[in-house]
Amino acid sequence: MPDEAIRDLARAPEDALKDLNAARFRLKALLLRNDLRYTGRANWSAEHLRWLARLVFPTPAQQILFQEYMRTVTERTELLQRLEAELCARARPWHFYPVVEALQALRGVQFTVAITAIAELGDLTRFDNPRQLMSYLGLTPSEYSSGDRRRLGGITKSGNGHARRVLIEAGKAYRHRAKVSEQIQARQQQLPKAVCDIAWRAQVRLCGRHRRLLARGKHPNTVAAAIARELAAFMWAIARIHPGRHSTPSRSARPGASP
């Protein structure tokens, strides 16, 4: 099925990123054991990579190990880039692609977040209301009741873990003040005004809520989950009004078919 194929492909970059981070961690550990420290920000930028290329270890054995670790990082980076490019190409003829584009009007919801959410959840409007979607994602607080006492705990973490993880990561983007950046403007350029209006209301509400929750002493992870819960509601609202949500796949518009 086309939907299942897109879902499998959408999960692949996440696996590749885990492998890449593990390879980078091993390389950094080797550098620290040899007291080799980058003075700038070690963010794998072009300058950081040039510094790594100039390193010389005291023994041939260590130099070989370093080169193998660097080779692994390079291979994992290239694999991640290939998978992301393939996902972009295969997603364009997908019948849910208009909704994927519309969701990117939201702050923190880049292509990877949007395609993962829709690939995992399908038509968001199959949920009668946002609370059903929140519950399905496992983002609602757990409840412990005894007699007249009612206590709320952490999120239930039931339902789809892939979609929940990307939404929590997206929720961290609201820690800054509300602002329509150049990247968001570019993503909103061809979208209906109603979608952009929802995205702006989401920014104003969620940025303010993020700030208030932190001021109350909530843990950043708890705040990110709370923001993700409300972000899911705004995604549901966009899916409801976007005209492309009712489109159905044709024989020539399936992932893998010739355009």
Side-chain angles (χ1 to χ4, degrees):
M1 295 293 291
D3 291 351
E4 294 174 355
I6 291 293
R7 183 173 65 245
D8 289 341
L9 188 55
R11 290 178 179 180
E14 182 181 356
D15 295 334
L17 182 59
K18 289 179 182 178
D19 293 340
L20 173 59
N21 288 336
R24 287 174 171 176
F25 178 81
R26 287 193 293 268
L27 177 59
K28 287 182 177 180
L30 175 64
L31 297 178
L32 289 176
R33 289 198 301 271
N34 289 272
D35 199 27
L36 296 170
R37 304 173 188 275
Y38 184 60
T39 55
R41 187 176 180 182
N43 57 356
W44 306 96
S45 62
E47 184 179 350
H48 182 212
L49 293 175
R50 284 194 294 270
W51 176 81
L52 289 170
R54 293 193 297 267
L55 291 180
V56 178
F57 283 74
T59 67
Q62 290 173 314
Q63 189 67 35
I64 288 293
L65 181 60
F66 169 70
Q67 294 301 150
E68 291 294 345
Y69 279 0
M70 279 295 299
R71 184 177 179 182
T72 301
V73 169
T74 301
E75 291 173 348
R76 297 293 185 270
T77 301
E78 292 174 349
L79 173 61
L80 178 60
Q81 292 172 346
R82 290 197 303 271
L83 289 172
E84 289 177 339
E86 186 68 17
L87 180 59
C88 288
R90 298 289 178 178
R92 290 188 181 278
W94 191 34
H95 63 112
F96 278 128
Y97 188 69
V99 181
V100 172
E101 284 189 308
L103 293 181
Q104 293 178 68
L106 291 161
R107 185 176 190 166
V109 184
Q110 295 91 348
F111 173 76
T112 302
V113 175
I115 190 72
T116 299
I118 297 301
E120 296 293 339
L121 302 173
D123 185 3
L124 299 184
T125 61
R126 65 191 176 92
F127 299 96
D128 294 334
N129 54 66
R131 290 188 178 276
Q132 289 184 0
L133 175 58
M134 297 173 191
S135 179
Y136 180 81
L137 287 166
L139 289 170
T140 52
S142 55
E143 181 179 332
Y144 303 91
S145 300
S146 177
D148 296 333
R149 299 184 62 183
R150 177 173 175 266
R151 184 169 65 89
L152 297 178
I155 59 175
T156 62
K157 295 186 179 180
S158 60
N160 193 289
H162 294 279
R164 182 173 62 252
R165 280 193 295 273
V166 296
L167 287 184
I168 289 176
E169 284 301 312
K172 296 176 182 179
Y174 292 89
R175 64 185 182 275
H176 305 295
R177 64 182 180 180
K179 176 185 177 182
V180 180
S181 65
E182 293 182 6
Q183 293 84 357
I184 296 176
Q185 287 180 1
R187 300 202 301 261
Q188 293 181 350
Q189 193 169 9
Q190 303 298 327
L191 296 176
K193 181 179 182 299
V195 171
C196 299
D197 289 344
I198 291 176
W200 176 243
R201 289 201 301 271
Q203 272 217 61
V204 173
R205 175 174 173 80
L206 298 184
C207 290
R209 181 161 172 74
H210 195 291
R211 184 175 60 253
R212 290 191 298 271
L213 289 174
L214 283 181
R216 288 167 52 188
K218 297 293 184 180
H219 191 278
N221 291 343
T222 302
V223 175
I227 299 302
R229 181 167 57 249
E230 294 200 25
L231 179 60
F234 285 106
M235 294 172 69
W236 180 86
I238 288 177
R240 290 266 299 180
I241 69 169
H242 195 268
R245 73 182 183 91
H246 295 297
S247 60
T248 55
S250 64
R251 184 180 298 273
S252 61
R254 294 176 180 174
S258 300

